Amino acid sequence: MNDRDIVGGLAVLVISVVGLVASMRVPSETTTQFGGGFYPGFLSVCLGVCGLIILVEGVLKREKVPVPKFEWGKVLPVLGSLVLYCLLFPILDFRIVTAIFLAICMFAFGVRRPLQLMAVAIGGSLVVFYVFTLGFNVVLN
Amino acid sequence: MVNVLTGLGAVVTPSALLWNLIGVVIGIVFGALPGLTATQAVAIFTPLTFVMPFTISMSFLLGIYCGGYYGGAITAILLRTPGAPGNAATCMDGYPMAQKGQAGKALAIAVMASWLGGELSALALMVGAPALSLIALRFGPPEYFAIGLLGLVCVAGISEGNILKGVAGGLAGMLLATIGMDPISGRPRFTLGIQGLMAGVALIPALVGLFAITEVLAKAEQMELGKKDQLITEYDIALPTKREWWESRWTLLKGTIIGVIVGVLPGTGPTIASWMSYQEAKRSSKHPELFGTGITEGVMATEVANNAVTGGALIPLLTLGVPGDSVTAVLLGSLMIQGLTPGPLLIRNNPALVSQLFWILIIANAFMLAIGLGAARAFPQILRIPMRILLPIICVLCIVGSYAVNNSLFDVWMVVLIGFVGFVASKFGFQVAPIVLGFILGPIIEPNFRRALITSGGSPLVFVTRPFSLGILILAGLLLAFILYRQRSGGVAGEAVKEPDMA
């Protein structure tokens, strides 16, 4: 059994069912049968067929492939600091929030030298800020 | 002939050459930064051209155009983060080349192939403009649907390991592209009442999320704290050999032809051209199993095609007033600023115009080659920065670049969300490239598919009763059959082919 494909196939099936249900709820125009839900519904059915085949192939396969393991201890700090960055982005000054993000993210990756942390965080945020605002006319608060 | 020489004389002036060079540099910088594209660069700098004469303004803007289409290859090769959608296919072999210590060579190949594609497409603009535009004039929804379908067949071609997972990824990408406004009725669809989804999932955040954030998370997972963690520790600066060029001559020629033809078709662009060229190179290769592992031919195929779009896309713009891609859509405005109205009468009334644009493109591509080759030694230094410092900086560039597209915080959230989904999907063997291709082709396929069916009263025969549409569909069918046949017969080593390093 290929557990990786079984779980993957199931996930695809779930997405296709959600897509199909959502497509059926799209109000159709009265002038044509090919309304807004027709095409995504068609895609969802095709996706469902793919998911089903991946699932069945996974069950029938002889080679044993386990469900992939996630190193959450390494991934979550990056993901968490990205989410924090997005949350603080509209609240704080861009330079401050970017410096905070860079410092947290680098610390999570194992940078421990204070001088390096500060130099990259502050220098990086300033360079990005001025390149985008002065060079490319992007408005960053 | 007189017009050709007159055009040359007009564009070889110190100021025109200087502005052309400035344009190329700006284009490369914009192209290389994820989230900023050649289209944005041309749009930002178009107002500056108000005060410029025609030749100088076009030298500047076409310089940006050419540089921008190449610039995206730099980050695609070094960071697996395409600076622009047209360079997404370059990640397939460019990034693995960089991983093998061949970053300098990959960059040199990219710029040389881009130069070749750009120069040949300028020639195509000069020679084939009227004929090609006449063919494009006959295209309607069935033909555009067929072209989209042909592009989708590329999904099967680029799906290493498991075609079914690639197709599922492509379909998921197409489904993702249906979020937002219904292209026919204009009604919101799958928006869940969220204002930010009304215009759909923007392309740049989706691309940055799927390619860059997915890769950042994968790299973070692989990283061993305290160990040497440079993305690459060594790189060569060798140029490709004459033999490599000679062996890739057909790939380069076909890539150029694909780029020019796709460029001519309105509403397409370098993204489709580069994927189609990559697929064709892989299909016709004696060693298709090596594609995706970091081979020169893969980089040549994509880069020659996306820059070959430049000349091709100008053909319908000048002869029909219809832009071939997003940059030429902005250029349309730039021409009108100069008091020129693109359309069938433009060339007749301004016979030297095409030759001027031809020479501007020739010169811009030459500048691009010189800058690109010079910089091929410098750019890989980026990868000598330790990963624990580089990855956070990439994240910041992704976030700011995605924000810059629409000044939308919603887009930034989409980058993180899509990046995380892409990371999880890749762990289960679903590659991100087919998802991206489906996402790009979806908006071309859906409206044309539905329009064709609506105009034919629901009869699917509309797709096979028009000669161009039928021809393209037959081509797509043959291509798909060939890919499936080759996979079954072991030409593509099925599961044996390594999936990307994050899988």
mmCIF file of all heavy atoms in Angstrom, chain B residues 71-97:
data_model
loop_
_atom_site.group_PDB
_atom_site.id
_atom_site.type_symbol
_atom_site.label_atom_id
_atom_site.label_comp_id
_atom_site.label_asym_id
_atom_site.label_seq_id
_atom_site.Cartn_x
_atom_site.Cartn_y
_atom_site.Cartn_z
ATOM 1 N N GLY B 71 15.463 39.180 -17.291
ATOM 2 C CA GLY B 71 15.811 39.369 -15.876
ATOM 3 C C GLY B 71 15.212 38.321 -14.949
ATOM 4 O O GLY B 71 15.856 37.890 -13.993
ATOM 5 N N GLY B 72 13.987 37.894 -15.237
ATOM 6 C CA GLY B 72 13.328 36.913 -14.376
ATOM 7 C C GLY B 72 14.068 35.593 -14.310
ATOM 8 O O GLY B 72 13.896 34.825 -13.349
ATOM 9 N N ALA B 73 14.904 35.327 -15.314
ATOM 10 C CA ALA B 73 15.642 34.060 -15.334
ATOM 11 C C ALA B 73 16.704 34.027 -14.230
ATOM 12 O O ALA B 73 17.062 32.956 -13.743
ATOM 13 C CB ALA B 73 16.308 33.870 -16.697
ATOM 14 N N ILE B 74 17.194 35.201 -13.832
ATOM 15 C CA ILE B 74 18.284 35.243 -12.849
ATOM 16 C C ILE B 74 17.823 34.620 -11.528
ATOM 17 O O ILE B 74 18.467 33.715 -10.996
ATOM 18 C CB ILE B 74 18.749 36.705 -12.632
ATOM 19 C CG1 ILE B 74 19.312 37.261 -13.944
ATOM 20 C CG2 ILE B 74 19.799 36.788 -11.529
ATOM 21 C CD1 ILE B 74 19.514 38.772 -13.945
ATOM 22 N N THR B 75 16.693 35.106 -11.020
ATOM 23 C CA THR B 75 16.208 34.557 -9.749
ATOM 24 C C THR B 75 15.596 33.169 -9.939
ATOM 25 O O THR B 75 15.606 32.367 -9.006
ATOM 26 C CB THR B 75 15.172 35.501 -9.103
ATOM 27 O OG1 THR B 75 14.318 36.010 -10.128
ATOM 28 C CG2 THR B 75 15.848 36.639 -8.382
ATOM 29 N N ALA B 76 15.084 32.899 -11.148
ATOM 30 C CA ALA B 76 14.556 31.545 -11.407
ATOM 31 C C ALA B 76 15.686 30.531 -11.282
ATOM 32 O O ALA B 76 15.511 29.454 -10.711
ATOM 33 C CB ALA B 76 13.928 31.485 -12.794
ATOM 34 N N ILE B 77 16.849 30.877 -11.801
ATOM 35 C CA ILE B 77 17.991 29.960 -11.779
ATOM 36 C C ILE B 77 18.622 29.910 -10.381
ATOM 37 O O ILE B 77 18.922 28.837 -9.864
ATOM 38 C CB ILE B 77 19.036 30.397 -12.831
ATOM 39 C CG1 ILE B 77 18.500 30.102 -14.239
ATOM 40 C CG2 ILE B 77 20.372 29.693 -12.612
ATOM 41 C CD1 ILE B 77 19.280 30.767 -15.351
ATOM 42 N N LEU B 78 18.791 31.064 -9.770
ATOM 43 C CA LEU B 78 19.538 31.096 -8.508
ATOM 44 C C LEU B 78 18.697 30.721 -7.295
ATOM 45 O O LEU B 78 19.173 30.070 -6.373
ATOM 46 C CB LEU B 78 20.133 32.488 -8.284
ATOM 47 C CG LEU B 78 21.137 32.971 -9.339
ATOM 48 C CD1 LEU B 78 21.647 34.345 -8.976
ATOM 49 C CD2 LEU B 78 22.298 31.992 -9.458
ATOM 50 N N LEU B 79 17.424 31.136 -7.310
ATOM 51 C CA LEU B 79 16.620 30.984 -6.091
ATOM 52 C C LEU B 79 15.346 30.166 -6.302
ATOM 53 O O LEU B 79 14.554 30.022 -5.382
ATOM 54 C CB LEU B 79 16.212 32.365 -5.545
ATOM 55 C CG LEU B 79 17.352 33.364 -5.298
ATOM 56 C CD1 LEU B 79 16.793 34.740 -4.959
ATOM 57 C CD2 LEU B 79 18.245 32.876 -4.171
ATOM 58 N N ARG B 80 15.152 29.663 -7.495
ATOM 59 C CA ARG B 80 13.913 28.958 -7.879
ATOM 60 C C ARG B 80 12.696 29.872 -7.674
ATOM 61 O O ARG B 80 11.608 29.434 -7.323
ATOM 62 C CB ARG B 80 13.736 27.667 -7.067
ATOM 63 C CG ARG B 80 12.758 26.699 -7.721
ATOM 64 C CD ARG B 80 12.750 25.372 -7.018
ATOM 65 N NE ARG B 80 11.850 24.443 -7.690
ATOM 66 C CZ ARG B 80 10.733 23.998 -7.145
ATOM 67 N NH1 ARG B 80 10.379 24.352 -5.942
ATOM 68 N NH2 ARG B 80 9.973 23.154 -7.804
ATOM 69 N N THR B 81 12.938 31.147 -7.848
ATOM 70 C CA THR B 81 11.879 32.138 -7.692
ATOM 71 C C THR B 81 11.812 32.949 -8.976
ATOM 72 O O THR B 81 12.580 33.888 -9.152
ATOM 73 C CB THR B 81 12.213 33.086 -6.510
ATOM 74 O OG1 THR B 81 12.455 32.291 -5.353
ATOM 75 C CG2 THR B 81 11.096 34.052 -6.235
ATOM 76 N N PRO B 82 10.945 32.565 -9.915
ATOM 77 C CA PRO B 82 10.918 33.308 -11.179
ATOM 78 C C PRO B 82 10.563 34.769 -10.955
ATOM 79 O O PRO B 82 9.570 35.072 -10.297
ATOM 80 C CB PRO B 82 9.842 32.595 -11.995
ATOM 81 C CG PRO B 82 9.019 31.857 -10.997
ATOM 82 C CD PRO B 82 9.915 31.536 -9.855
ATOM 83 N N GLY B 83 11.398 35.650 -11.467
ATOM 84 C CA GLY B 83 11.129 37.074 -11.303
ATOM 85 C C GLY B 83 9.865 37.477 -12.029
ATOM 86 O O GLY B 83 9.196 38.424 -11.643
ATOM 87 N N ALA B 84 9.537 36.764 -13.093
ATOM 88 C CA ALA B 84 8.323 37.046 -13.859
ATOM 89 C C ALA B 84 7.712 35.716 -14.280
ATOM 90 O O ALA B 84 8.422 34.709 -14.385
ATOM 91 C CB ALA B 84 8.669 37.891 -15.073
ATOM 92 N N PRO B 85 6.393 35.695 -14.541
ATOM 93 C CA PRO B 85 5.750 34.424 -14.908
ATOM 94 C C PRO B 85 6.408 33.740 -16.113
ATOM 95 O O PRO B 85 6.481 32.519 -16.178
ATOM 96 C CB PRO B 85 4.318 34.839 -15.238
ATOM 97 C CG PRO B 85 4.102 36.100 -14.489
ATOM 98 C CD PRO B 85 5.423 36.799 -14.435
ATOM 99 N N GLY B 86 6.907 34.545 -17.064
ATOM 100 C CA GLY B 86 7.517 33.986 -18.276
ATOM 101 C C GLY B 86 8.784 33.188 -18.017
ATOM 102 O O GLY B 86 9.245 32.456 -18.893
ATOM 103 N N ASN B 87 9.345 33.321 -16.830
ATOM 104 C CA ASN B 87 10.571 32.595 -16.516
ATOM 105 C C ASN B 87 10.329 31.399 -15.596
ATOM 106 O O ASN B 87 11.286 30.764 -15.147
ATOM 107 C CB ASN B 87 11.594 33.530 -15.858
ATOM 108 C CG ASN B 87 11.901 34.726 -16.719
ATOM 109 O OD1 ASN B 87 11.332 35.789 -16.519
ATOM 110 N ND2 ASN B 87 12.745 34.561 -17.713
ATOM 111 N N ALA B 88 9.059 31.128 -15.316
ATOM 112 C CA ALA B 88 8.749 30.023 -14.395
ATOM 113 C C ALA B 88 9.325 28.696 -14.907
ATOM 114 O O ALA B 88 9.871 27.908 -14.133
ATOM 115 C CB ALA B 88 7.240 29.912 -14.200
ATOM 116 N N ALA B 89 9.229 28.467 -16.228
ATOM 117 C CA ALA B 89 9.720 27.205 -16.787
ATOM 118 C C ALA B 89 11.236 27.077 -16.664
ATOM 119 O O ALA B 89 11.772 25.957 -16.666
ATOM 120 C CB ALA B 89 9.287 27.083 -18.246
ATOM 121 N N THR B 90 11.927 28.202 -16.549
ATOM 122 C CA THR B 90 13.387 28.172 -16.434
ATOM 123 C C THR B 90 13.826 27.542 -15.110
ATOM 124 O O THR B 90 14.935 27.015 -15.007
ATOM 125 C CB THR B 90 13.956 29.605 -16.569
ATOM 126 O OG1 THR B 90 13.432 30.172 -17.760
ATOM 127 C CG2 THR B 90 15.464 29.618 -16.641
ATOM 128 N N CYS B 91 12.935 27.582 -14.111
ATOM 129 C CA CYS B 91 13.245 26.934 -12.823
ATOM 130 C C CYS B 91 13.510 25.437 -13.013
ATOM 131 O O CYS B 91 14.283 24.848 -12.264
ATOM 132 C CB CYS B 91 12.072 27.070 -11.849
ATOM 133 S SG CYS B 91 11.731 28.743 -11.313
ATOM 134 N N MET B 92 12.828 24.848 -13.992
ATOM 135 C CA MET B 92 12.857 23.392 -14.146
ATOM 136 C C MET B 92 14.278 22.845 -14.270
ATOM 137 O O MET B 92 14.631 21.851 -13.643
ATOM 138 C CB MET B 92 12.035 22.957 -15.367
ATOM 139 C CG MET B 92 10.574 23.325 -15.306
ATOM 140 S SD MET B 92 9.665 22.456 -14.021
ATOM 141 C CE MET B 92 9.549 20.831 -14.722
ATOM 142 N N ASP B 93 15.094 23.478 -15.095
ATOM 143 C CA ASP B 93 16.470 23.005 -15.253
ATOM 144 C C ASP B 93 17.507 24.007 -14.769
ATOM 145 O O ASP B 93 18.624 23.625 -14.432
ATOM 146 C CB ASP B 93 16.735 22.652 -16.726
ATOM 147 C CG ASP B 93 16.253 21.262 -17.048
ATOM 148 O OD1 ASP B 93 16.933 20.300 -16.659
ATOM 149 O OD2 ASP B 93 15.176 21.124 -17.642
ATOM 150 N N GLY B 94 17.134 25.283 -14.750
ATOM 151 C CA GLY B 94 18.084 26.308 -14.309
ATOM 152 C C GLY B 94 18.456 26.141 -12.843
ATOM 153 O O GLY B 94 19.636 26.193 -12.479
ATOM 154 N N TYR B 95 17.446 25.927 -12.009
ATOM 155 C CA TYR B 95 17.714 25.787 -10.576
ATOM 156 C C TYR B 95 18.535 24.524 -10.268
ATOM 157 O O TYR B 95 19.529 24.606 -9.537
ATOM 158 C CB TYR B 95 16.390 25.797 -9.811
ATOM 159 C CG TYR B 95 16.548 25.741 -8.315
ATOM 160 C CD1 TYR B 95 17.084 26.817 -7.607
ATOM 161 C CD2 TYR B 95 16.170 24.612 -7.595
ATOM 162 C CE1 TYR B 95 17.232 26.767 -6.239
ATOM 163 C CE2 TYR B 95 16.311 24.553 -6.219
ATOM 164 C CZ TYR B 95 16.840 25.629 -5.542
ATOM 165 O OH TYR B 95 16.986 25.566 -4.180
ATOM 166 N N PRO B 96 18.153 23.365 -10.852
ATOM 167 C CA PRO B 96 19.010 22.192 -10.623
ATOM 168 C C PRO B 96 20.450 22.400 -11.109
ATOM 169 O O PRO B 96 21.382 21.890 -10.503
ATOM 170 C CB PRO B 96 18.316 21.086 -11.431
ATOM 171 C CG PRO B 96 16.903 21.497 -11.492
ATOM 172 C CD PRO B 96 16.917 22.990 -11.567
ATOM 173 N N MET B 97 20.627 23.167 -12.194
ATOM 174 C CA MET B 97 21.986 23.461 -12.647
ATOM 175 C C MET B 97 22.739 24.251 -11.573
ATOM 176 O O MET B 97 23.904 23.973 -11.277
ATOM 177 C CB MET B 97 21.965 24.273 -13.953
ATOM 178 C CG MET B 97 21.808 23.427 -15.205
ATOM 179 S SD MET B 97 21.938 24.404 -16.712
ATOM 180 C CE MET B 97 23.723 24.596 -16.846
#
